[in-house]
Amino acid sequence: MKNTLCIFILICCYSQIRAQQKTSDRKIEIDTASFSGGKLPISSKPLNDAPDKLQFAIISDINGGNIPGVFSDAKNKLNELQPSMVLSIGDLIDGYTTDSVLVKKEWNQFNSMVDSLDMPFFYVSGNHDVSNPFLKQQWKKRFGRTYYYFVYKNTLFLALDTEDGKTDGIGKEQIDYVKKVLREHQNVRWTFVFMHRPLWSYGNEQGYEQIGTALKGRDYTLFSGHHHNYMSGERNGQKHYILATTGGGAYGRGAKFGEFQHITWVTLNKTPTVVNIALDGIIKDDIVSEAIYPEIQSLRMGEWLKPKPFVAASELVDSAQVTLTFKNPTKSVLTVSGQLAESKLWSIVPRKLNVTVPANGTVDQVVTFASLDAGKKLDLNLLDHLDFALTGTYHLNNQDYSLSASSLLKIDWQRTIAFDKDLSSTFFKNQLDTANLIKVVHPQYIQEDWDWHGLNDAFLKFKIRRDKRFLYVNALIYDDKFLISEKDQDGASFYISGLPGKTTTINIEVKPKLQGKEQVISNVKGVAHQTKWIGKNQWLVQLKIPVSGLDSIEKLRFNMSYRDIDDLSNSKPSVVFWRPKWGSPEDYNNSGMFFIPKN
């Protein structure tokens, strides 16, 4: 690697040598007094040093799961390579906060590295940098405009703000600005466009479609990022790039799959040449082309593997037939292969799979689980969150592209709500009634899942009982760091559907009390509640919920979630759900179903 980099640096330095040239043919003029006879041992090519030659570098996403040290390494290599300037495509800080102290710290850290570059650095905003009005104000205070242009060596550089619309995208004022700039600079030799989100590749281009139309008819190259994986494409007959990362979070499965940490190096003579300098090598610009991008994305995301949720009438069953769905969203044939994990607790048939999924096709594979203990039923709790790991393969460009994918099985069964006629008068007195709670060991949905770090971070337990008029919920929540403040708080939410009457679904939110503050129960009349701390890290929530006509219904659906805030500066804390969030893509029929026996 060091030898490769040294050779590359020597080549770049050689290209900067200034020799006396005839403007007509750029031949080298030799001082004959310094050379004693014979022919110089050089090739016939002129020096690669045209006056209008331009070389610059681009760094891509630094944040969104930042990997420490990567951008620092890239910065050092930029100083060795010596481009004329460095441009960016956004996500320069972690952002997503309204904490002024934290924002100042993040920008100071980033700017200190920028200040150590030997050449100018051009800031371009990303969603992490300007994700809310406060952050956009901070950007303008530090750097000025979020969209701008400049001209260098008769080359137009155009930086866009893809978070400029009312919600996102590009707003009218920016569109008008860009159109004016393009009209006033029609005679430049080339245009380079820099933007964070690749709106050009979206079905709804969120305002960029007008800019794309204005760019037609001119020579230009566009660079974008945001997705943390690389692709080279083409629009209007011009190259459009989605760059990978320069420190942003990535799986690192290699350049073949567009996952690498890199600097993009652009050389403009008559037309641009683009290469990607991985921090451990050099990668061509077409390593992942638009033609094979759907297949690469299919493998990267692993969404071709989807076990169908399995819901049974009870926790103990004779056997469980689980369907694995293999969905191929591409024009190429997908091969799925692998062996399902063994267990000492159950058998699985078949264990070895080799399935061909046709282009744009779907194949269902049924696998059957049964207890290995003869005469005993299979406990479905053992299968909850079972991880299926298989390999998907596409044969593209005369080579195999293979990546493994894993997907967790969602298991559920119908439960019964116990009847207790004496609960009404004793419920709130039995504050430590925590027996037989349902443990949320495997949450089936986590919103903003990067901020929840497992059961040691937050852990939920609950149970439901009833009498003739009320539902009673006990929930015990463990949190390693309960956060209670005027600004924001942790909180538990409870969801119940299938109730009689006009309000068929109720949502109840409960937060820990602030000193001297009354707890507010949202949008449900008549709910009685009580909360209590049990030690430092456990919080007991008790709900007494009136339900008209409770005896007349056969079943209801229940879910609960916990919003775990560990840092007030985080505007997107994790929300841990027992069963999938209702209405989310992960939701499935009959999850969290409870029967109500007649009494």
Side-chain angles (χ1 to χ4, degrees):
M1 153 58 190
K2 289 182 178 179
N3 290 338
T4 301
L5 183 57
C6 289
I7 292 170
F8 186 76
I9 293 170
L10 287 172
I11 292 171
C12 292
C13 292
Y14 181 77
S15 70
Q16 301 297 322
I17 297 171
R18 297 291 177 183
Q20 292 183 341
Q21 299 180 32
K22 294 179 180 178
T23 56
S24 59
D25 58 8
R26 297 171 57 216
K27 291 182 179 177
I28 304 173
E29 292 186 355
I30 303 299
D31 181 357
T32 56
S34 67
F35 184 74
S36 56
K39 184 179 179 181
L40 285 176
I42 62 173
S43 71
S44 60
K45 296 286 185 180
L47 283 180
N48 186 13
D49 191 30
D52 58 353
K53 180 179 178 180
L54 173 61
Q55 287 186 309
F56 62 90
I58 308 169
I59 60 103
S60 44
D61 291 50
I62 296 169
N63 274 283
N66 175 262
I67 302 173
V70 174
F71 178 63
S72 179
D73 183 30
K75 179 260 301 180
N76 293 336
K77 287 182 168 64
L78 286 167
N79 280 340
E80 293 173 334
L81 292 167
Q82 288 292 300
S84 59
M85 55 186 164
V86 179
L87 293 105
S88 61
I89 54 166
D91 278 6
L92 307 178
I93 63 169
D94 194 38
Y96 276 108
T97 182
T98 55
D99 187 324
S100 58
V101 175
L102 179 62
V103 170
K104 182 178 180 180
K105 178 182 177 182
E106 290 180 354
W107 277 125
N108 286 347
Q109 287 176 342
F110 180 76
N111 290 337
S112 68
M113 286 194 282
V114 167
D115 289 343
S116 65
L117 286 170
D118 295 342
M119 65 290 301
F121 179 86
F122 292 83
Y123 293 74
V124 173
S125 62
N127 55 294
H128 278 260
D129 312 314
V130 292
S131 57
N132 58 49
F134 168 76
L135 286 173
K136 183 151 285 193
Q137 181 187 40
Q138 292 293 309
W139 175 285
K140 291 179 178 178
K141 180 179 177 181
R142 285 174 171 80
F143 311 117
R145 302 187 65 93
T146 56
Y147 55 89
Y148 58 91
Y149 82 95
F150 65 94
V151 178
Y152 178 59
K153 289 192 175 184
N154 196 30
T155 304
L156 175 62
F157 291 79
L158 186 58
L160 306 183
D161 176 3
T162 57
E163 311 303 314
D164 182 50
K166 290 183 179 179
T167 53
D168 49 26
I170 299 177
K172 183 180 185 302
E173 182 179 329
Q174 184 179 181
I175 292 169
D176 292 342
Y177 172 87
V178 172
K179 288 180 178 179
K180 183 175 182 292
V181 169
L182 293 175
R183 284 196 305 269
E184 293 175 351
H185 297 85
Q186 296 185 42
N187 297 322
V188 294
R189 59 176 175 143
W190 207 271
T191 298
F192 290 105
V193 183
F194 303 85
M195 58 195 293
H196 181 62
R197 290 192 295 125
L199 302 180
W200 56 272
S201 67
Y202 296 0
N204 175 4
E205 297 183 31
Q206 300 174 4
Y208 176 75
E209 67 280 356
Q210 296 186 55
I211 294 174
T213 299
L215 284 165
K216 285 183 179 179
R218 69 167 56 213
D219 292 325
Y220 73 94
T221 306
L222 184 149
F223 298 95
S224 58
H226 186 63
H227 292 326
H228 291 212
N229 66 286
Y230 186 88
M231 186 192 79
S232 65
E234 195 170 292
R235 295 290 186 277
N236 300 331
Q238 307 295 322
K239 292 301 293 261
H240 287 53
Y241 294 96
I242 300 174
L243 304 184
T245 46
T246 314
Y251 292 106
R253 290 172 289 198
K256 190 175 180 180
F257 297 99
E259 297 177 355
F260 52 94
Q261 304 288 351
H262 70 121
I263 298 162
T264 298
W265 187 271
V266 183
T267 301
L268 177 64
N269 281 311
K270 291 182 178 180
T271 58
T273 300
V274 177
V275 295
N276 297 288
I277 306 172
L279 298 184
D280 58 357
I282 298 176
I283 299 169
K284 291 184 177 181
D285 77 317
D286 61 353
I287 182 67
V288 178
S289 68
E290 196 169 13
I292 65 170
Y293 191 67
E295 286 82 359
I296 296 299
Q297 281 294 86
S298 173
L299 293 176
R300 285 186 63 253
M301 305 308 292
E303 293 182 352
W304 52 265
L305 170 59
K306 288 287 185 185
K308 289 184 178 178
F310 181 83
V311 181
S314 64
E315 181 180 353
L316 300 177
V317 297
D318 293 325
S319 64
Q321 290 189 324
V322 174
T323 300
L324 303 182
T325 296
F326 307 127
K327 187 174 183 179
N328 179 9
T330 77
K331 65 182 184 301
S332 304
V333 173
L334 171 69
T335 301
V336 177
S337 60
Q339 191 161 290
L340 301 177
E342 290 184 284
S343 171
K344 295 180 180 179
L345 301 174
W346 66 75
S347 64
I348 182 169
V349 178
R351 280 200 58 230
K352 194 169 184 178
L353 298 178
N354 196 314
V355 179
T356 299
V357 188
N360 297 306
T362 299
V363 173
D364 284 341
Q365 172 69 57
V366 176
V367 293
T368 301
F369 292 88
S371 173
L372 282 175
D373 194 342
K376 286 194 173 181
K377 292 183 177 290
L378 175 68
D379 186 348
L380 290 180
N381 194 48
L382 300 173
L383 302 185
D384 189 18
H385 251 52
L386 178 68
D387 193 0
F388 289 97
L390 296 166
T391 298
T393 301
Y394 290 105
H395 189 74
L396 309 167
N397 299 336
N398 296 318
Q399 60 178 318
D400 285 337
Y401 287 74
S402 298
L403 279 180
S404 62
S406 62
S407 188
L408 298 173
L409 175 61
K410 292 181 174 66
I411 287 282
D412 206 359
W413 52 91
Q414 297 167 348
R415 296 165 176 82
T416 299
I417 298 178
F419 179 83
D420 188 335
K421 65 180 180 179
D422 298 321
L423 268 178
S424 184
S425 60
T426 62
F427 181 64
F428 289 123
K429 296 179 182 179
N430 298 331
Q431 295 177 12
L432 297 178
D433 181 14
T434 58
N436 302 316
L437 298 178
I438 295 172
K439 300 176 182 179
V440 186
V441 178
H442 302 298
Q444 291 192 353
Y445 184 85
I446 306 171
Q447 190 171 299
E448 311 297 345
D449 61 357
W450 54 76
D451 212 42
W452 182 70
H453 307 293
L455 300 180
N456 291 327
D457 189 1
F459 179 39
L460 320 179
K461 303 177 184 178
F462 71 91
K463 69 178 175 182
I464 313 174
R465 288 171 294 169
R466 76 173 187 95
D467 58 19
K468 288 186 175 295
R469 297 187 301 121
F470 295 93
L471 288 174
Y472 301 87
V473 178
N474 272 10
L476 186 62
I477 298 150
Y478 167 87
D479 192 338
D480 67 333
K481 183 182 179 181
F482 280 105
L483 200 152
I484 307 171
S485 78
E486 293 283 358
K487 184 177 180 181
D488 208 349
Q489 297 187 69
D490 292 317
S493 293
F494 304 85
Y495 316 90
I496 304 172
S497 72
L499 303 178
K502 293 181 180 179
T503 305
T504 58
T505 300
I506 62 174
N507 299 334
I508 302 171
E509 182 180 9
V510 183
K511 293 182 178 179
K513 288 183 179 179
L514 285 169
Q515 191 70 27
K517 298 282 185 178
E518 285 297 323
Q519 174 65 59
V520 177
I521 297 292
S522 61
N523 74 16
V524 182
K525 293 182 179 180
V527 175
H529 77 284
Q530 181 171 272
T531 68
K532 182 176 181 179
W533 298 103
I534 302 176
K536 179 182 177 182
N537 297 109
Q538 293 190 84
W539 178 43
L540 178 66
V541 178
Q542 293 183 291
L543 299 174
K544 182 179 178 182
I545 307 166
V547 179
S548 175
L550 184 57
D551 260 348
S552 66
I553 59 176
E554 295 182 358
K555 57 186 178 180
L556 58 80
R557 198 179 181 205
F558 176 86
N559 201 358
M560 80 164 289
S561 67
Y562 180 66
R563 186 168 182 258
D564 182 25
I565 307 174
D566 289 332
D567 185 346
L568 279 175
S569 67
N570 184 0
S571 62
K572 289 187 172 183
S574 289
V575 185
V576 180
F577 287 77
W578 174 51
R579 289 300 181 248
K581 181 179 180 180
W582 294 347
S584 74
E586 301 298 319
D587 195 12
Y588 58 94
N589 290 335
N590 295 321
S591 67
M593 192 65 69
F594 286 80
F595 276 93
I596 303 176
K598 300 299 180 184
N599 288 284

